[in-house]
Amino acid sequence: MRAPDKNEEDDVMAKAATPATKKAAPRPKAPAKPAATKAAPAAKAKAAAKDHPIRDQLAVTRDTIKAEASKKAASIKEDATSFANQASAKAREAATKGKDKAAETVGSLAKMLEDSADTVDSKFGKQYGDYARSAATTVAGLASSLDQKDLDELAGATRDFVKKSPAVAVGAAAVIGFVLARMLKGGSSND
């Protein structure tokens, strides 16, 4: 073994003389700057956006698709509304034509009842002829009412009549159904 050198001995003694419990003092940290910490995430986001051009393209494409879908939905809604209005107008037109045709048919029925009243008088008696005339007058009033009123008024009047006297409404519907069936059956057998 070699003998320690004088310089080495001095270093060892200097170390022994220094207390071992002394620790290095911690360095003070710099105070945090609030503006700097808030700006850092935004700067990182901008840097990340620059690093990801595909994300930007996806965002632009997504926005374009949303805008186009919104335009298409508005167009479809507009078309559907237009179609519904056209269908409603055509249905109303058909109902008006049907009402006019029904008024004409009921008027013809009233005329037929009035014309047959004299025959009923001669075959069954004056009392039954008067019933036929009364029925003809009532049916003629119905024909006139059908002709003069619009669809909304007729619907309201029908609802009110059915509420006030449902039994009469059912009976009238049965009689009208029977008469119409006989008229249709009679018309088809002549062909």
Side-chain angles (χ1 to χ4, degrees):
M1 207 160 132
R2 124 181 135 83
D5 179 10
K6 181 149 177 110
N7 284 338
E8 287 178 359
E9 282 180 17
D10 288 337
D11 285 338
V12 172
M13 286 218 185
K15 284 183 185 176
T18 315
T21 57
K22 186 176 176 184
K23 291 185 179 177
R27 290 187 351 198
K29 292 185 179 179
K33 297 179 185 175
T37 57
K38 288 180 182 176
K44 285 181 182 178
K46 286 181 181 177
K50 288 180 183 176
D51 292 342
H52 299 288
I54 294 175
R55 270 193 209 153
D56 292 341
Q57 287 177 338
L58 288 174
V60 169
T61 303
R62 180 192 66 227
D63 293 342
T64 303
I65 290 171
K66 279 184 179 180
E68 289 299 319
S70 178
K71 286 179 188 176
K72 194 66 169 174
S75 173
I76 289 172
K77 185 177 180 182
E78 186 178 304
D79 290 346
T81 302
S82 173
F83 180 72
N85 290 340
Q86 288 174 356
S88 176
K90 288 197 184 251
R92 190 163 191 79
E93 183 181 319
T96 302
K97 284 181 182 178
K99 176 193 76 92
D100 293 343
K101 187 74 170 169
E104 183 181 319
T105 304
V106 171
S108 297
L109 178 64
K111 176 107 172 93
M112 183 179 72
L113 286 172
E114 183 67 37
D115 291 345
S116 65
D118 291 335
T119 307
V120 171
D121 276 344
S122 64
K123 289 190 177 184
F124 300 107
K126 177 121 174 92
Q127 179 184 7
Y128 295 109
D130 289 341
Y131 288 143
R133 284 183 197 84
S134 174
T137 304
T138 303
V139 172
L142 175 62
S144 175
S145 177
L146 280 175
D147 201 29
Q148 292 173 355
K149 292 183 179 180
D150 70 348
L151 293 174
D152 296 330
E153 290 174 327
L154 287 173
T158 304
R159 263 186 252 120
D160 292 343
F161 178 74
V162 170
K163 284 180 184 177
K164 287 178 184 175
S165 51
V168 174
V170 170
V175 169
I176 290 170
F178 177 75
V179 169
L180 288 175
R182 296 295 286 176
M183 289 174 69
L184 291 174
K185 185 178 178 185
S188 64
S189 64
N190 291 339
D191 291 340

